[in-house]
Amino acid sequence: MSMAHFLLILASLSWVSSQLTSPQINSQWYKDGENVLKQKLNAKNIEKTGKNAILFIGDGMSIPTEVCARIFQGQKRGQTGEENNLSWQLFPNVGLSKTYSVDFQVPDSAATATAFLSGVKTNDGVLGLNQNGIKGQCASEKNNHVNSLVAIAEELGMSTGIITTARVTHATPGAAYSHCASRNWEANIPSSQAGLGCKDIATQLLDAYNIGDGFEVVMGGGRCNFHSINTTDPEYTTFKGCRFDGKDLIQEWKNKKLSNSAYVWNLTAFNAIDPNKTDHLLGLFDPSHMKYDADRLTDKAGEPSIAQMTEKAIQILQRNPKGYFLFVEGGRIDHSHHSGVAYGAITDTIAMADAVQKAVAMTNPQETLIVVTADHGHTLSMSGYPKRGNPILGLVDGAPSLDGKPYTTINYANGPGAIKDGELRPNLTGVDVQARLHEQQAIFPIIYETHDGADVGIYSQGPFAHLLTGVVEQSYIFHAMKHALCLGPNSNVPNCQRFVTRGSAVSSVASNMLLLVIMLCLVKFLQ
Ligand SMILES: *[C@@H]1O[C@H](CO)[C@@H](O)[C@H](O)[C@H]1NC(C)=O
Ligand SMILES: *[C@@H]1O[C@H](CO)[C@@H](O)[C@H](O)[C@H]1NC(C)=O
Ligand SMILES: *[C@@H]1O[C@H](CO)[C@@H](O)[C@H](O)[C@H]1NC(C)=O
Ligand SMILES: *[C@@H]1O[C@H](CO)[C@@H](O)[C@H](O)[C@H]1NC(C)=O
Ligand SMILES: *[C@@H]1O[C@H](CO)[C@@H](O)[C@H](O)[C@H]1NC(C)=O
């Protein structure tokens, strides 16, 4: 080796060491980073038609909501919390969804659900209508219907399911099957719009069973919208139904005589359902919304968790060789935020993470697309500078504000927590800020904390999941899922089975006929 060579090697060695030091590469963070890099380099996009898809919506699940939930979950497991991951946060594909509606910068759940389920943005308050639908105007429904992924999948012979922890007639699930000028017409049409041919959302749910062979699974709350105002609720005997027309839609559902159907309204009956012997399951577990997960065990007749509902639904739906589309909403993350109580929003987010974990464990990413996103965010924020492992619902230690009062890590921009007993920003010293019903402080008081208009995350794994990356319009989610499942005639998916199957079924009939004719000719000829 010449001297020049030797010097060159020495120089290059010192170049390497000045780039990557041993204190660096021996750090656990460094090793973890290299492991993730290796995983990502080995990951391959799955570019073939999906057999099944599951769409999870965390209603109101802003990115700060997810971050607080993963810290809370980690802390419940005895960790500092920040390093934890919610189940979907390990998915290989992440995008951002722009949530504004046609008429609002900060949208509502009716417009957003219509966007991701039907591929078009629309106006706040309307369900399953394009932007010509006007809130509260029955006449605007005509000729403006848009169909949801759930309805399209059912029509093409897939099995379908709709699960929510809110009322099944509420805005988000309502966009899966109804076309309605107002999200508020859950059981009744107001007198000003009566007689113009519009139907309430619960009635439309029953009508939608005419699509394909009918939804296989519908579960959530909202029993009241199916019972007459003169009917006593089976669980809470002081409650009556909500329908002014006196109809009993549960009875009408039973009268449809769907194959192997079952209606359940409590946990015992839910648990007794054999998914291998049930083709159509309707579960309505509360007169209104189901309980927050944090309060679920206090329910009188018991109700299943979102994970239990998801598991049962997949067991029923996966029996269809043509595949399934399942829609699952963690519907009450939003409600707890509206009440200014972060605790309920966080624990319902964790309950949905359990449901996603269940779905991941029960499915094969080679054939099932799983998408997790939110319809819109909320004004929750995370303030500095709590130390690592500080309770996520707790006070920020040793960080006095200008008014000398302590503050919590989590706050809202607005909400009922802004004012207590007439006092703005009360002194939190000695207050149990981690209590189940503590209302976080906010800048200005308002009865219901509001949505926010920031982007929400889209997390996905499975066939064509890589299409759900980048910063995209919320309505695009429909298009990516339609493509992945081959649910549209103009789809360019290789091996677009659902449409090729139809085409080849036709051509195989034709070729069989041809074969028959040739054989008949041959027989004639040989005679
Ligand atoms: C969270 O995910 C990362 C990979 O992105 C992993 O390195 C880390 O160990 C996970 N955290 C926990 C607590 O499992
Ligand atoms: C409810 O019951 C009352 C009293 O019997 C009756 O007048 C009313 O018509 C009933 N309403 C409906 C919607 O059935
Ligand atoms: C349903 O049937 C399948 C196939 O026979 C079986 O593997 C599975 O355990 C059954 N599921 C339940 C919940 O009984
Ligand atoms: C659950 O519903 C079934 C069917 O209506 C009923 O027989 C049973 O008593 C209910 N169980 C509870 C605990 O309410
Ligand atoms: C808040 O309350 C604590 C305990 O009562 C008290 O020591 C502190 O001075 C109060 N702070 C302000 C700014 O009033």
Side-chain angles (χ1 to χ4, degrees):
M1 193 188 293
S2 74
M3 192 60 169
H5 243 114
F6 180 74
L7 284 175
L8 206 69
I9 288 170
L10 209 67
S12 69
L13 275 179
S14 70
W15 178 80
V16 165
S17 71
S18 78
Q19 297 293 308
L20 295 167
T21 66
S22 73
Q24 190 173 7
I25 60 177
N26 290 330
S27 157
Q28 194 56 46
W29 297 110
Y30 193 96
K31 290 174 184 162
D32 288 349
E34 289 295 304
N35 278 336
V36 174
L37 176 65
K38 226 177 273 165
Q39 278 169 28
K40 291 197 185 292
L41 287 171
N42 287 333
K44 291 211 166 46
N45 291 339
I46 303 170
E47 302 211 10
K48 59 179 187 188
T49 298
K51 182 181 180 196
N52 318 303
I54 310 176
L55 174 59
F56 284 93
I57 299 295
D59 196 314
M61 189 176 71
S62 59
I63 290 175
T65 308
E66 289 188 47
V67 175
C68 293
R70 81 166 169 234
I71 294 175
F72 191 86
Q73 185 186 54
Q75 293 183 338
K76 288 285 157 204
R77 291 173 177 167
Q79 305 159 354
T80 46
E82 299 82 5
E83 63 292 326
N84 184 42
N85 309 293
L86 294 179
S87 50
W88 60 78
Q89 291 170 345
L90 295 172
F91 285 3
N93 306 284
V94 180
L96 289 174
S97 163
K98 296 161 75 178
T99 63
Y100 67 93
S101 65
V102 167
D103 55 349
F104 280 83
Q105 205 166 57
V106 175
D108 91 320
S109 293
T112 54
T114 303
F116 57 69
L117 281 170
S118 299
V120 299
K121 291 211 183 211
T122 190
N123 298 311
D124 271 22
V126 310
L127 293 173
L129 302 175
N130 66 14
Q131 68 190 69
N132 298 324
I134 303 166
K135 189 177 182 195
Q137 300 294 315
C138 171
S140 75
E141 288 181 10
K142 204 166 177 236
N143 299 328
N144 290 322
H145 289 196
V146 294
N147 287 330
S148 84
L149 285 170
V150 181
I152 295 168
E154 182 62 49
E155 192 156 20
L156 290 175
M158 297 174 80
S159 282
T160 54
I162 300 167
I163 293 175
T164 177
T165 53
R167 296 188 293 266
V168 297
T169 47
H170 206 237
T172 314
Y177 57 82
S178 76
H179 309 280
C180 198
S182 174
R183 58 178 289 173
N184 300 330
W185 300 349
E186 289 185 58
N188 303 293
I189 306 284
S191 52
S192 73
Q193 300 295 311
L196 300 176
C198 288
K199 289 185 176 177
D200 63 271
I201 298 169
T203 298
Q204 290 198 46
L205 174 57
L206 258 73
D207 288 352
Y209 275 83
N210 296 331
I211 303 169
D213 63 354
F215 303 129
E216 277 67 23
V217 175
V218 175
M219 282 190 279
R223 207 158 54 214
C224 159
N225 294 325
F226 295 77
H227 285 306
S228 159
I229 47 165
N230 284 345
T231 304
T232 302
D233 186 76
E235 184 177 14
Y236 297 98
T237 47
T238 53
F239 274 62
K240 298 274 190 207
C242 295
R243 302 193 62 82
F244 297 147
D245 64 8
K247 287 187 179 165
D248 182 345
L249 296 190
I250 309 283
Q251 192 52 50
E252 291 190 13
W253 185 84
K254 290 178 181 167
N255 292 347
K256 285 180 181 293
K257 305 229 177 299
L258 301 158
S259 66
N260 301 317
S261 66
Y263 167 67
V264 294
W265 57 267
N266 61 50
L267 184 60
T268 315
F270 168 87
N271 285 336
I273 290 292
D274 180 344
N276 283 344
K277 296 191 178 130
T278 307
D279 297 339
H280 299 274
L281 175 61
L282 176 63
L284 297 174
F285 300 105
D286 256 299
S288 182
H289 305 302
M290 291 175 72
K291 296 274 182 296
Y292 287 114
D293 195 69
D295 310 327
R296 185 166 47 83
L297 299 180
T298 68
D299 186 64
K300 189 153 177 267
E303 55 186 52
S305 67
I306 185 170
Q308 289 170 322
M309 291 194 285
T310 301
E311 178 181 29
K312 187 83 82 184
I314 294 174
Q315 287 170 337
I316 293 174
L317 301 177
Q318 72 189 4
R319 288 165 37 221
N320 186 344
K322 289 182 175 169
Y324 62 82
F325 187 95
L326 173 61
F327 175 74
V328 184
E329 184 202 26
R332 306 213 64 202
I333 299 166
D334 176 71
H335 299 158
S336 198
H337 276 322
H338 279 307
S339 333
V341 177
Y343 190 108
I346 287 172
T347 45
D348 266 33
T349 300
I350 294 169
M352 194 172 91
D354 293 342
V356 172
Q357 187 60 49
K358 186 53 91 180
V360 167
M362 292 175 77
T363 55
N364 174 357
Q366 291 298 320
E367 62 176 29
T368 302
L369 171 66
I370 301 183
V371 179
V372 180
T373 184
D375 50 355
H376 55 75
H378 269 271
T379 72
L380 188 80
S381 74
M382 233 179 119
S383 301
Y385 298 98
K387 294 234 165 63
R388 273 296 293 278
N390 197 55
I392 188 62
L393 290 165
L395 295 170
V396 178
D397 213 14
S401 50
L402 285 177
D403 61 11
K405 296 175 193 169
Y407 60 89
T408 48
T409 304
I410 299 183
N411 302 279
Y412 288 101
N414 58 47
I419 192 161
K420 282 280 160 271
D421 302 324
E423 194 188 349
L424 286 164
R425 197 162 143 64
N427 189 346
L428 290 174
T429 309
V431 174
D432 183 5
V433 293
Q434 299 184 54
R436 164 72 186 92
L437 293 175
H438 177 71
E439 291 173 355
Q440 273 67 31
Q441 289 189 335
I443 300 170
F444 63 89
I446 189 170
I447 294 178
Y448 297 113
E449 182 270 349
T450 70
H451 298 174
D452 86 2
D455 296 356
V456 293
I458 312 169
Y459 307 82
S460 58
Q461 72 166 30
F464 285 108
H466 56 283
L467 297 180
L468 285 163
T469 52
V471 181
V472 300
E473 294 294 352
Q474 185 162 53
S475 39
Y476 166 75
I477 294 170
F478 163 96
H479 298 270
M481 294 191 77
K482 170 174 74 71
H483 184 84
L485 285 182
C486 183
L487 290 178
N490 56 356
S491 172
N492 292 321
V493 185
N495 310 316
C496 190
Q497 304 152 357
R498 292 195 170 87
F499 288 91
V500 173
T501 306
R502 286 184 152 192
S504 66
V506 170
S507 62
S508 74
V509 167
S511 55
N512 284 344
M513 296 268 284
L514 191 67
L515 210 66
L516 196 69
V517 170
I518 293 171
M519 276 169 64
L520 284 174
C521 290
L522 268 176
V523 169
K524 201 96 190 137
F525 178 77
L526 290 173
Q527 272 174 354

